[in-house]
């Protein structure tokens, strides 16, 4: 990792802060920032390092940057916001699918290990659970659900899969029922939308 020393875009306080850190101090700061979003397990090591470095550069480039006013906490906040944006971008296809599956959820019911976990992180956790549950339905049900999440028309899906439109509706609703009744999802779905799975298709 290369520290942003000597950058023309740095604010005067930011440049002073970076220079005083030195290479060892900068590397130690990067590790602290990375540790602040260690719960973002979908990000690779390289992606975490990039997020931490970008957060530092953004912070010290701002005119309002004040090295005397908890600069590390300020940088960590920027880093967590950047990490959330990166996660949302990486998981957009999964989020679309989960949005269809979980259109009646109670995000506040999700347990969180981090005291400062925000709603976006709760939603990501719920998305992961929904996608995992979707893997337990039949291949055709999964294909139909993914296509519906992409807003494809039932008639188009039916034509491409070689089934009737009615079968598309049937497979879609069976997938919803199975996923919403699965052990990892049912606690977070309103009771009215949970129906016990009867097995089979």
């Amino acid at each position: 990792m290369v520290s942003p020393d000597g950058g023309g875009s740095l604010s005067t306080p930011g440049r002073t802060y970076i220079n005083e850190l030195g290479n060892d101090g900068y590397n130690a700061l990067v590790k602290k920032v990375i540790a602040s979003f260690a719960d973002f397990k979908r990000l690779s090591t390289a992606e975490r390092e990039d997020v931490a470095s970008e957060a530092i550069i953004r912070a010290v480039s701002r005119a309002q940057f004040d090295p005397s006013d908890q600069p590390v906490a300020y940088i960590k906040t920027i880093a967590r916001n950047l990490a959330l944006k990166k996660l949302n971008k990486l998981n957009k296809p999964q989020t679309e699918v989960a949005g269809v599956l979980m259109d009646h959820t109670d995000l506040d019911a999700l347990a969180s290990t981090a005291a400062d976990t925000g709603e976006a992180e709760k939603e990501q956790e719920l998305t992961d659970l929904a996608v995992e549950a979707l893997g337990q339905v039949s291949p055709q049900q999964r294909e139909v659900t993914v296509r519906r999440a992409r807003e494809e028309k039932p008639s188009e899906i039916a034509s491409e899969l070689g089934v009737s439109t009615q079968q598309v509706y049937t497979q879609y609703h069976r997938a919803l029922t199975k996923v919403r009744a699965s052990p990892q999802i049912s606690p977070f779905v309103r009771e009215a939308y949970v129906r016990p799975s009867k097995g089979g298709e």
Side-chain angles (χ1 to χ4, degrees):
M1 288 173 285
V2 180
S3 61
D5 53 337
S9 63
L10 302 186
S11 65
T12 299
R15 185 178 295 107
T16 300
Y17 178 71
I18 291 297
N19 289 339
E20 290 180 351
L21 281 177
N23 286 333
D24 290 342
Y26 176 80
N27 290 332
L29 174 60
V30 169
K31 289 180 180 178
K32 287 181 182 179
V33 175
I34 290 175
S36 72
F37 56 92
D39 51 323
F40 291 70
K41 301 186 186 302
R42 286 185 177 273
L43 296 181
S44 67
T45 299
E47 288 170 330
R48 294 181 191 195
E49 291 176 352
D50 288 344
V51 167
S53 295
E54 184 178 349
I56 294 171
I57 292 172
R58 286 194 181 194
V60 299
S61 297
R62 293 177 178 174
Q64 68 268 33
F65 179 74
D66 184 355
S68 66
D69 186 18
Q70 300 181 317
V72 177
Y74 178 54
I75 293 170
K76 285 180 177 179
T77 298
I78 294 175
R80 288 185 69 82
N81 289 336
L82 289 173
L84 276 173
K85 289 180 180 179
K86 185 176 285 289
L87 272 179
N88 288 337
K89 185 176 180 180
L90 289 173
N91 296 311
K92 190 173 186 295
Q94 291 187 345
T95 303
E96 290 173 348
V97 173
V100 171
L101 294 172
M102 305 299 296
D103 59 351
H104 293 285
T105 60
D106 181 6
L107 292 179
D108 292 332
L110 274 174
S112 174
T113 55
D116 62 341
T117 298
E119 185 168 300
E121 289 170 82
K122 294 180 188 178
E123 186 172 357
Q124 179 58 49
E125 185 178 351
L126 186 55
T127 295
D128 292 343
L129 290 173
V131 172
E132 179 184 345
L134 184 61
Q136 300 171 12
V137 305
S138 73
Q140 188 175 76
Q141 290 171 357
R142 185 162 52 252
E143 178 72 12
V144 168
T145 303
V146 170
R147 286 171 176 260
R148 286 293 302 274
R150 294 172 181 164
E151 298 184 353
E152 293 185 27
K153 295 180 179 179
S155 58
E156 294 175 351
I157 299 172
S159 177
E160 291 191 24
L161 296 182
V163 298
S164 68
T165 302
Q166 182 57 47
Q167 283 180 302
V168 169
Y169 284 114
T170 299
Q171 296 300 325
Y172 175 64
H173 288 292
R174 284 179 177 173
L176 294 188
T177 298
K178 287 182 180 179
V179 169
R180 290 171 176 170
S182 63
Q184 64 266 52
I185 294 298
S186 60
F188 310 120
V189 183
R190 292 178 184 173
E191 187 174 355
Y193 292 90
V194 177
R195 301 182 182 90
S197 175
K198 297 180 180 179
E201 285 295 306

